[in-house]
Amino acid sequence: MTLVDTEHKDGAIWLYLNRPARHNALTQPLLDELFTALKLAEAKKPTALVLSARGRSFSTGGDIAGFLDHTGSQDRLLSYADQLVGALHDVILSLLAFPSPVLAAVNGPVTGGSTGLVLAADMVALSNTAFIQPYYSEVGFAPDGGWTAMLPEKIGTAKALEIQYLNSRLSAEEARRFGLAAHVCAPSDVEPKITEWVTGMSRRFAQTHVATRQNVWDEPRLQLVKERLDREKARFLDLIARPETLAGMEEFTKQSA
């Protein structure tokens, strides 16, 4: 079974995170498959790229069980975290640099670093059962995936800090009000709404969409996001191996069992 499914629909390429039994929690193999799928999709020059997920959740972010599996030595844990967060950030940057419009069909909850996959999308259709929540302060992690690198620009610095300090849960409707989603609907209507957007785009000049996206995500802007993501990873590595963080991971895993 692949961890990322690829489907071609009416000129768009759909990529589905496919680890539903674990709520599409991010692992190195999944991120590696997603990065490869993005590069293959880019070569096809689709009308749009659509990122979605199988199951009830979009993604719960980095799999804490994966971190705990590497706590036998500090070097192993740091190496694992470095590769995982680095792979997530590479995927986010690839989404931002993708030439065609990037859409997200968000079927369920989005937590932790997987939020960056949604932040990198141009237009988001959100299930009314979905929510967005950081959870970093519940475990002791430093934010990754764009929570500090991208979210403040999207919704304002004060609100981005408030959400992370209080571990606030944004409902689907709140996410729409803050501009994180263009549309909220019943779960069964998410994919039809994306299809409607793709159909509308296909009636217009693709070369204009490409030029528009490249102008918005030009090299200076991409470089700024990269630098901020690099700082996120450095802070993540600084905190991940601390005793209090290890205790936080273990406690969080018990509460989530």
Side-chain angles (χ1 to χ4, degrees), residues 164-197:
Q164 294 177 75
Y165 289 157
L166 302 179
N167 191 36
S168 301
R169 174 174 293 189
L170 292 181
S171 69
E173 193 54 46
E174 287 172 324
R176 186 194 64 78
R177 288 203 302 270
F178 285 124
L180 298 177
H183 185 76
V184 172
C185 57
S188 60
D189 293 332
V190 171
E191 292 202 5
K193 173 53 68 172
I194 294 285
T195 300
E196 176 187 317
W197 289 345

Side-chain angles (χ1 to χ4, degrees), residues 7 15 30 49 69 74 110 133 136 148 201 220 238 242:
E7 295 186 7
L15 303 181
L30 185 151
L49 177 83
D69 286 343
Q74 186 176 40
V110 186
Q133 193 166 4
Y136 295 104
T148 59
M201 291 175 185
D238 179 49
R242 294 186 181 186

